[in-house]
Amino acid sequence: MVSSPSPYRRVLRYLPRYRVALVAGLACVLASRVLLVYAPLLLRRALDALQDGGTDTVERVVWIALAFLGVSLVAGVFTWAQRLLLVGTSRRVERDLKRDLFAHVESLPSSFFDQTRTGDLLARLTSDVEAVRFIVGPGPMYVMGTVVLLPLALVAMTGISTPVS
Protein backbone atom coordinates (compact mmCIF):
# COMPACT_ATOMS: atom_id res chain seq x y z
CA MET A 1 0.00 0.00 0.00
CA VAL A 2 1.38 3.38 -1.01
CA SER A 3 0.98 6.12 1.57
CA SER A 4 0.09 9.61 0.46
CA PRO A 5 2.35 12.48 1.45
CA SER A 6 1.49 14.27 4.67
CA PRO A 7 -0.43 17.55 4.43
CA TYR A 8 2.74 19.40 5.50
CA ARG A 9 4.74 17.90 2.66
CA ARG A 10 2.03 18.88 0.22
CA VAL A 11 2.20 22.49 1.36
CA LEU A 12 6.00 22.52 1.47
CA ARG A 13 6.18 21.72 -2.23
CA TYR A 14 4.76 25.19 -2.96
CA LEU A 15 7.51 27.01 -1.05
CA PRO A 16 10.75 26.45 -3.01
CA ARG A 17 9.80 28.81 -5.83
CA TYR A 18 9.29 31.55 -3.22
CA ARG A 19 12.43 30.76 -1.19
CA VAL A 20 14.17 34.08 -1.92
CA ALA A 21 11.13 36.16 -0.92
CA LEU A 22 10.63 34.14 2.27
CA VAL A 23 14.28 34.43 3.34
CA ALA A 24 14.35 38.13 2.48
CA GLY A 25 11.12 38.68 4.42
CA LEU A 26 12.48 36.92 7.49
CA ALA A 27 15.71 38.96 7.20
CA CYS A 28 13.55 42.10 7.18
CA VAL A 29 11.81 40.88 10.35
CA LEU A 30 15.21 40.49 12.02
CA ALA A 31 16.42 43.90 10.85
CA SER A 32 13.25 45.70 11.91
CA ARG A 33 13.35 44.16 15.38
CA VAL A 34 17.02 45.05 15.88
CA LEU A 35 16.31 48.66 14.91
CA LEU A 36 13.18 48.73 17.04
CA VAL A 37 15.26 47.82 20.07
CA TYR A 38 18.11 50.20 19.15
CA ALA A 39 15.87 53.30 19.04
CA PRO A 40 15.39 53.57 22.84
CA LEU A 41 19.14 53.28 23.30
CA LEU A 42 19.47 56.44 21.24
CA LEU A 43 17.00 58.18 23.53
CA ARG A 44 19.17 57.20 26.47
CA ARG A 45 22.15 58.82 24.77
CA ALA A 46 20.17 62.00 24.28
CA LEU A 47 19.10 62.08 27.93
CA ASP A 48 22.67 61.41 29.03
CA ALA A 49 23.90 64.25 26.82
CA LEU A 50 21.34 66.61 28.36
CA GLN A 51 22.29 65.51 31.85
CA ASP A 52 26.04 65.90 31.22
CA GLY A 53 25.61 69.39 29.81
CA GLY A 54 28.59 71.00 28.10
CA THR A 55 29.01 73.39 25.25
CA ASP A 56 28.11 70.92 22.53
CA THR A 57 24.97 69.51 24.23
CA VAL A 58 22.49 70.93 21.76
CA GLU A 59 24.51 69.73 18.78
CA ARG A 60 24.83 66.23 20.25
CA VAL A 61 21.11 66.03 21.01
CA VAL A 62 20.23 67.21 17.50
CA TRP A 63 22.48 64.54 15.96
CA ILE A 64 21.00 61.88 18.22
CA ALA A 65 17.47 63.03 17.33
CA LEU A 66 18.33 62.79 13.63
CA ALA A 67 19.79 59.33 14.19
CA PHE A 68 16.62 58.33 16.07
CA LEU A 69 14.50 59.60 13.21
CA GLY A 70 16.66 57.74 10.68
CA VAL A 71 16.59 54.49 12.66
CA SER A 72 12.80 54.74 13.05
CA LEU A 73 12.38 55.41 9.33
CA VAL A 74 14.59 52.48 8.31
CA ALA A 75 12.80 50.21 10.81
CA GLY A 76 9.51 51.26 9.22
CA VAL A 77 10.84 50.43 5.76
CA PHE A 78 11.94 46.98 6.97
CA THR A 79 8.54 46.41 8.59
CA TRP A 80 6.81 47.39 5.34
CA ALA A 81 9.16 45.12 3.35
CA GLN A 82 8.61 42.15 5.66
CA ARG A 83 4.87 42.45 5.24
CA LEU A 84 5.15 42.92 1.50
CA LEU A 85 7.41 39.89 1.12
CA LEU A 86 5.88 37.46 3.62
CA VAL A 87 2.20 38.31 3.31
CA GLY A 88 2.55 38.71 -0.46
CA THR A 89 4.26 35.34 -0.74
CA SER A 90 1.61 33.70 1.41
CA ARG A 91 -1.06 35.12 -0.92
CA ARG A 92 0.78 33.69 -3.94
CA VAL A 93 1.02 30.28 -2.24
CA GLU A 94 -2.70 30.54 -1.48
CA ARG A 95 -3.40 31.33 -5.13
CA ASP A 96 -1.32 28.37 -6.30
CA LEU A 97 -2.97 26.05 -3.83
CA LYS A 98 -6.48 27.18 -4.79
CA ARG A 99 -5.67 26.81 -8.47
CA ASP A 100 -4.46 23.25 -7.94
CA LEU A 101 -7.40 22.40 -5.71
CA PHE A 102 -9.85 23.74 -8.26
CA ALA A 103 -8.21 21.68 -11.01
CA HIS A 104 -8.44 18.62 -8.78
CA VAL A 105 -12.11 19.28 -7.94
CA GLU A 106 -12.89 19.65 -11.64
CA SER A 107 -11.34 16.26 -12.33
CA LEU A 108 -13.44 14.45 -9.72
CA PRO A 109 -16.29 12.24 -10.92
CA SER A 110 -19.84 13.48 -10.41
CA SER A 111 -20.44 10.66 -7.91
CA PHE A 112 -18.02 12.45 -5.55
CA PHE A 113 -20.31 15.48 -5.46
CA ASP A 114 -23.30 13.24 -4.72
CA GLN A 115 -21.53 11.81 -1.67
CA THR A 116 -19.84 15.00 -0.37
CA ARG A 117 -21.68 17.77 1.39
CA THR A 118 -21.24 21.15 -0.27
CA GLY A 119 -20.39 22.84 3.05
CA ASP A 120 -17.56 20.40 3.71
CA LEU A 121 -16.12 20.98 0.26
CA LEU A 122 -16.38 24.77 0.58
CA ALA A 123 -14.72 24.65 4.01
CA ARG A 124 -11.76 22.81 2.49
CA LEU A 125 -11.50 25.25 -0.38
CA THR A 126 -11.74 28.39 1.77
CA SER A 127 -10.95 28.17 5.49
CA ASP A 128 -8.39 25.37 5.24
CA VAL A 129 -6.53 27.19 2.48
CA GLU A 130 -6.70 30.38 4.56
CA ALA A 131 -5.10 28.50 7.47
CA VAL A 132 -2.30 27.37 5.16
CA ARG A 133 -1.80 30.96 4.02
CA PHE A 134 -1.41 32.10 7.63
CA ILE A 135 1.11 29.34 8.36
CA VAL A 136 3.21 30.34 5.35
CA GLY A 137 3.27 34.13 5.81
CA PRO A 138 1.97 35.97 8.86
CA GLY A 139 2.59 33.06 11.25
CA PRO A 140 6.37 32.87 10.79
CA MET A 141 6.54 36.68 10.68
CA TYR A 142 4.89 36.99 14.10
CA VAL A 143 6.76 34.07 15.64
CA MET A 144 10.18 35.21 14.44
CA GLY A 145 9.43 38.80 15.42
CA THR A 146 8.63 37.72 18.98
CA VAL A 147 11.48 35.23 19.26
CA VAL A 148 13.98 37.87 18.11
CA LEU A 149 12.47 40.80 20.00
CA LEU A 150 12.36 39.17 23.44
CA PRO A 151 16.10 38.54 23.93
CA LEU A 152 17.05 41.79 22.21
CA ALA A 153 14.70 43.76 24.44
CA LEU A 154 16.07 42.06 27.55
CA VAL A 155 19.63 42.94 26.55
CA ALA A 156 18.63 46.52 25.72
CA MET A 157 16.75 46.96 29.00
CA THR A 158 19.76 45.65 30.90
CA GLY A 159 21.94 48.12 28.99
CA ILE A 160 19.60 51.00 29.75
CA SER A 161 19.42 50.27 33.46
CA THR A 162 23.16 49.68 33.80
CA PRO A 163 25.11 52.90 34.30
CA VAL A 164 27.35 53.83 31.40
CA SER A 165 30.91 54.68 32.35
Side-chain angles (χ1 to χ4, degrees), residues 92-149:
R92 287 187 286 282
V93 168
E94 178 185 33
R95 177 202 59 211
D96 295 348
L97 185 57
K98 282 183 176 181
R99 182 193 61 229
D100 292 349
L101 282 171
F102 183 73
H104 177 71
V105 167
E106 280 187 319
S107 70
L108 294 172
S110 60
S111 61
F112 171 82
F113 298 101
D114 293 335
Q115 299 168 357
T116 306
R117 294 186 335 206
T118 305
D120 291 341
L121 185 58
L122 287 175
R124 296 279 182 221
L125 296 175
T126 55
S127 62
D128 289 3
V129 173
E130 179 71 16
V132 169
R133 183 192 66 77
F134 185 82
I135 288 171
V136 171
M141 180 175 66
Y142 297 139
V143 169
M144 183 174 177
T146 303
V147 166
V148 169
L149 187 59

Side-chain angles (χ1 to χ4, degrees), residues 33-159:
R33 294 313 185 269
V34 167
L35 292 172
L36 180 70
V37 170
Y38 183 66
L41 299 176
L42 288 172
L43 289 178
R44 178 177 182 199
R45 283 188 180 174
L47 293 173
D48 288 345
L50 287 171
Q51 187 177 17
D52 293 343
T55 56
D56 65 340
T57 300
V58 173
E59 184 179 335
R60 284 175 42 203
V61 170
V62 167
W63 279 111
I64 293 169
L66 290 173
F68 180 82
L69 183 64
V71 165
S72 298
L73 182 64
V74 172
V77 168
F78 278 123
T79 300
W80 170 79
Q82 82 186 21
R83 289 188 176 280
L84 179 73
L85 291 165
L86 294 175
V87 174
T89 298
S90 71
R91 290 289 183 186
R92 287 187 286 282
V93 168
E94 178 185 33
R95 177 202 59 211
D96 295 348
L97 185 57
K98 282 183 176 181
R99 182 193 61 229
D100 292 349
L101 282 171
F102 183 73
H104 177 71
V105 167
E106 280 187 319
S107 70
L108 294 172
S110 60
S111 61
F112 171 82
F113 298 101
D114 293 335
Q115 299 168 357
T116 306
R117 294 186 335 206
T118 305
D120 291 341
L121 185 58
L122 287 175
R124 296 279 182 221
L125 296 175
T126 55
S127 62
D128 289 3
V129 173
E130 179 71 16
V132 169
R133 183 192 66 77
F134 185 82
I135 288 171
V136 171
M141 180 175 66
Y142 297 139
V143 169
M144 183 174 177
T146 303
V147 166
V148 169
L149 187 59
L150 180 65
L152 287 175
L154 290 173
V155 168
M157 287 188 290
T158 303

Side-chain angles (χ1 to χ4, degrees), residues 2 22-23 33 85 93 115 119 138 162 165:
V2 176
L22 291 170
V23 170
R33 294 313 185 269
L85 291 165
V93 168
Q115 299 168 357
T162 305
S165 303

